[in-house]
């Protein structure tokens, strides 16, 4: 069920039903997180974006889904988005080519989340923003979700908010996080000094 890329086989199979089954991403929270960017967001990459529900909730001119499961990328295209099959740890995009990277409910499924954060930082333009939304494994609900996913057979690896904040800072981004019960958002802004 889990391969070197992460938990992709199940998502590949579930792609057609995913929009009915999965909880909708919090669009207000994503919009608020994106307001930390230090540039206009005209090109956004939704990594591990699945059917594109995160990207679809945002009024950004160019929205691209990158997902390792071809079924999910296909469904994102049916939903009207541009989508590529790609590993988050090795994004097929040029350095400094996007204004924002979104990772919603996906980082814990990636085979190599550390390299995924580095890859996201690489493709960001100066002033651009990485937004990661995930479940806090130190909360009660987070522990239950983690246990349930492992029982199901996923290889999920969840980060506590401050650990993920450090990872984002190690990738060279200015990191902040906000906890909301069992969920949290980490944002990492790329400095304009590198321009
Ligand atoms: C729980 S879904 C979340 C989808 C979407 N972000 C949402 O909120 O609806 C996790 C997604 O991560 C994708 N995924 C897993 N490993 C990946 C990897 N290494 N690179 C890119 N996507 C990956 C899966 O295929 C799946 O679509």
């Amino acid at each position: 069920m889990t391969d070197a890329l992460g938990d992709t086989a199940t998502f590949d199979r579930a792609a057609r039903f995913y929009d009915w089954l999965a909880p909708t991403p919090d669009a207000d929270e994503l919009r608020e997180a994106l307001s930390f960017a230090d540039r206009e967001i005209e090109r956004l990459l939704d990594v591990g974006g699945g059917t594109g529900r995160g990207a679809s909730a945002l009024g950004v001119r160019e929205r691209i889904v990158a997902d390792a499961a071809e079924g999910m990328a296909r469904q994102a295209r049916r939903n009207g988005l541009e989508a590529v099959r790609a590993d988050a740890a090795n994004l097929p995009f040029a350095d400094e080519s996007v204004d924002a990277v979104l990772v919603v409910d996906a980082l814990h499924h990636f085979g190599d989340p550390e390299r995924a954060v580095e890859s996201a930082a690489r493709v960001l333009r100066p002033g651009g923003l990485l937004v990661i939304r995930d479940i806090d494994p130190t909360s009660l609900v987070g522990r239950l979700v983690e246990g349930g996913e492992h029982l199901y057979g996923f290889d999920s690896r969840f980060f506590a908010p401050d650990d993920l904040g450090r990872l984002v800072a190690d990738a060279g981004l200015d990191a902040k996080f906000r906890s909301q019960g069992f969920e949290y958002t980490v944002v990492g802004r790329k400095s304009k000094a590198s321009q």
Side-chain angles (χ1 to χ4, degrees), residues 36 130 132 161 165 168 173-178 185-189:
F36 284 101
L130 168 62
I132 303 175
V168 168
L173 304 178
D174 178 17
K176 298 188 194 337
F177 73 83
R178 187 159 88 126
T185 305
V186 169
V187 297
R189 187 168 53 196

Side-chain angles (χ1 to χ4, degrees), residues 3-9 11-12 18-19 22-25 46-54 66-70 72 86-89 91 103-112 149:
D3 57 26
L5 298 180
D7 300 319
T8 55
F11 291 110
D12 201 30
Y18 186 79
D19 287 342
T24 309
D46 190 356
V47 177
T51 60
R53 294 168 335 133
D67 199 285
E70 178 52 34
M72 288 298 228
D87 178 13
L91 292 170
V103 183
V104 180
D105 189 26
L107 189 80
H108 63 272
H109 288 296
F110 296 168
D112 192 341
E149 291 202 3

Side-chain angles (χ1 to χ4, degrees), residues 26-36 57-59:
D26 183 338
D28 288 341
E29 176 62 22
L30 295 181
R31 271 191 288 273
E32 193 177 330
L34 286 173
S35 70
F36 284 101
L58 299 165

Side-chain angles (χ1 to χ4, degrees), residues 9 12 25 32 40 44 49 51 69 77 82 118 130 146 155 162 169 172 182 185 191:
D12 201 30
E32 193 177 330
E40 191 98 359
L44 175 142
T51 60
R77 286 181 213 113
E82 188 180 335
E118 286 168 12
L130 168 62
E146 186 172 42
D155 235 4
D162 47 355
F182 66 93
T185 305
S191 163

Side-chain angles (χ1 to χ4, degrees), residues 87-91 107 110-122 157 167 171:
D87 178 13
N90 194 12
L91 292 170
L107 189 80
F110 296 168
D112 192 341
E114 288 84 359
R115 275 190 52 213
V117 169
E118 286 168 12
S119 190
R122 177 184 64 74
R157 178 152 67 100
L167 195 64

Side-chain angles (χ1 to χ4, degrees), residues 108 134-150 156-161 180-184:
H108 63 272
D134 218 319
I135 289 171
D136 182 351
T138 66
S139 69
L140 176 61
V141 175
R143 282 197 291 276
L144 290 171
V145 171
E146 186 172 42
E149 291 202 3
H150 288 166
S156 320
R157 178 152 67 100
F158 291 88
F159 288 85
Q180 295 147 302
F182 66 93
E183 286 184 292
Y184 69 93

